């Protein structure tokens, strides 16, 4: 395991347990980290090299027949920091080995198929890291809150999701599902900040304020979804997100721990190394 300032593994500390209750998680807490922002940011930057090496081994392994890959599923309320996590937590990874997909309202073509049809096509190839910036979970979150599907349909979807994710893990994809848990107060502060910075105006949508009226319903929908779909093969991690530096550090650390658990090694060459060194030197 990487030498970090974590008091214990983030992948164990933040993993959802059998009696999990979202309301018991303090969005302003920093579990496992006693230091503040300055030290936390420094630690994240220090770990970039380890993350890049681990990703390199994952990709190299795929060139010799390895089938392992990683899928990071990011969910959270508006302004919970998903974009920042993608930018900062995965910084250091080679861009050629990372694919980011955002799932918005389904197109007319996508509506002709089951709700997992478009998601299944975006599962990572061997050696790759894929990120879902919002995901198939919108079909049990937004659908439940906004009455976009009958209750019985939504109930079926939980089982369909579990089956889909088991298939993915059996195909050697490690799934890391993260809910960025931001408080209602901090979300409001971030929305206000967006309206007072020209560089952030594009992030603001008037519907964000309307969605705040659904805060309790969304909170309950997350509780149900997490309880129904946090499994041994694809567990949920709930990351307190009021402190952006902590959320980014926590997601980075979980990914590092998952890659370390794969015990990846650089592939051995299928040629005589001494001979090839001589040939290159004399070329």
């Amino acid at each position: 395991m990487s030498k970090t300032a974590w008091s214990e593994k983030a992948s164990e500390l933040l993993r959802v347990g059998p009696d999990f209750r979202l309301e018991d998680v303090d969005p302003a807490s920093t579990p496992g980290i006693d230091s503040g922002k300055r030290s936390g940011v420094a630690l994240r930057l220090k770990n970039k090299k380890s993350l890049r090496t681990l990703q390199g081994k994952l990709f190299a392994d795929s060139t010799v027949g390895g089938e392992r890959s990683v899928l990071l599923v990011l969910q959270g309320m508006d302004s919970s920091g998903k974009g920042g996590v993608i930018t900062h937590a995965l910084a250091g990874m080679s861009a050629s080995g990372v694919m980011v997909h955002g799932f918005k309202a389904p197109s007319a073509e996508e509506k002709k198929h089951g709700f997992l049809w478009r998601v299944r096509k975006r599962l990572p190839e061997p050696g790759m890291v894929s990120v879902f910036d919002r995901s198939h979970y919108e079909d049990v979150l937004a659908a439940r809150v906004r009455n976009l599907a009958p209750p019985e349909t939504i109930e079926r979807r939980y089982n369909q999701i579990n089956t889909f994710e088991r298939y993915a893990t059996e195909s050697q994809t490690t799934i890391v599902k993260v809910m960025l848990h931001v408080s209602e107060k901090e979300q409001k502060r971030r929305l206000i900040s967006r309206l007072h910075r020209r560089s952030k105006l594009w992030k603001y949508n008037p519907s964000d304020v309307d969605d705040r009226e659904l805060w309790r319903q969304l909170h309950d929908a997350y509780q149900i979804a997490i309880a129904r779909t946090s499994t041994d093969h694809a567990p949920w991690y709930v990351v307190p997100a009021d402190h952006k530096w902590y959320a980014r550090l926590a997601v980075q650390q979980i990914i590092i721990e998952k890659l370390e658990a794969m015990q990846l090694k650089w592939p051995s060459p299928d040629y005589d190394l001494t001979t090839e060194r001589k040939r290159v030197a004399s070329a």
Side-chain angles (χ1 to χ4, degrees):
M1 179 180 174
S2 302
K3 293 181 179 180
T4 71
W6 288 86
S7 62
E8 57 184 286
K9 287 187 175 183
S11 57
E12 295 177 357
L13 188 63
L14 299 171
R15 179 172 173 160
V16 166
D19 299 319
F20 172 79
R21 295 202 319 164
L22 185 57
E23 61 188 31
D24 292 339
V25 180
D26 179 2
S29 63
T30 58
I33 296 289
D34 293 330
S35 55
K37 179 178 180 179
R38 184 185 296 271
S39 297
V41 171
L43 180 57
R44 177 173 55 78
L45 294 176
K46 177 183 177 182
N47 285 343
K48 285 171 62 176
K49 184 176 180 180
S50 295
L51 186 61
R52 187 176 185 87
T53 298
L54 288 164
Q55 182 208 11
K57 290 180 178 180
L58 177 69
F59 185 82
D61 183 61
S62 72
T63 67
V64 292
E67 298 181 348
R68 288 173 288 190
S69 62
V70 174
L71 171 62
L72 172 61
V73 175
L74 286 177
Q75 288 288 155
M77 305 287 197
D78 292 327
S79 306
S80 59
K82 295 182 291 295
V85 163
I86 294 170
T87 300
H88 297 283
L90 303 185
M93 283 191 173
S94 171
S96 62
V98 179
M99 298 293 292
V100 179
H101 307 285
F103 294 95
K104 299 182 180 181
S107 66
E109 173 62 23
E110 290 168 342
K111 288 180 179 178
K112 297 177 182 178
H113 304 271
F115 77 103
L116 291 170
W117 179 77
R118 61 175 181 167
V119 180
R120 188 174 288 107
K121 296 193 300 180
R122 300 300 186 182
L123 285 173
E125 296 291 329
M128 297 293 292
V129 176
S130 286
V131 183
F132 287 176
D133 181 1
R134 295 189 185 274
S135 65
H136 45 297
Y137 282 93
E138 291 299 309
D139 290 284
V140 293
L141 293 168
R144 174 181 285 274
V145 172
R146 300 185 180 282
N147 298 314
L148 300 178
E152 57 272 18
T153 297
I154 294 173
E155 287 299 320
R156 285 198 303 271
R157 286 176 179 174
Y158 297 120
N159 288 330
Q160 290 174 299
I161 286 173
N162 287 335
T163 300
F164 164 69
E165 291 177 349
R166 178 174 289 281
Y167 160 79
T169 57
E170 288 175 349
S171 299
Q172 299 197 50
T173 294
T174 294
I175 301 177
V176 180
K177 300 187 296 192
V178 173
M179 183 215 174
L180 297 174
H181 185 33
V182 68
S183 67
E184 194 169 5
K185 180 179 178 180
E186 174 62 15
Q187 187 203 48
K188 182 176 182 178
R189 188 193 68 77
R190 293 179 186 181
L191 291 175
I192 291 173
S193 176
R194 287 181 179 182
L195 288 171
H196 288 83
R197 294 178 61 184
R198 181 170 294 276
S199 63
K200 299 287 187 179
L201 292 177
W202 65 274
K203 288 188 173 184
Y204 180 80
N205 189 313
S207 65
D208 293 341
V209 178
D210 299 330
D211 288 344
R212 283 178 62 80
E213 298 178 3
L214 301 173
W215 186 274
R216 185 69 250 177
Q217 294 96 309
L218 276 168
H219 184 282
D220 293 344
Y222 267 105
Q223 172 66 48
I224 295 169
I226 291 171
R228 301 280 183 87
T229 62
S230 191
T231 59
D232 289 339
H233 57 273
W236 273 100
Y237 301 90
V238 173
V239 176
D242 274 12
H243 297 292
K244 293 180 180 179
W245 66 265
Y246 175 80
R248 295 164 182 175
L249 176 63
V251 175
Q252 180 200 57
Q253 185 62 23
I254 292 171
I255 295 296
I256 286 175
E257 291 171 11
K258 291 296 184 180
L259 287 170
E260 286 178 332
M262 294 180 188
Q263 298 183 321
L264 297 159
K265 299 183 183 301
W266 295 111
S268 299
D270 59 356
Y271 50 82
D272 183 77
L273 184 58
T274 301
T275 299
E276 293 307 312
R277 284 175 174 169
K278 290 179 179 179
R279 292 182 65 230
V280 172
S282 61

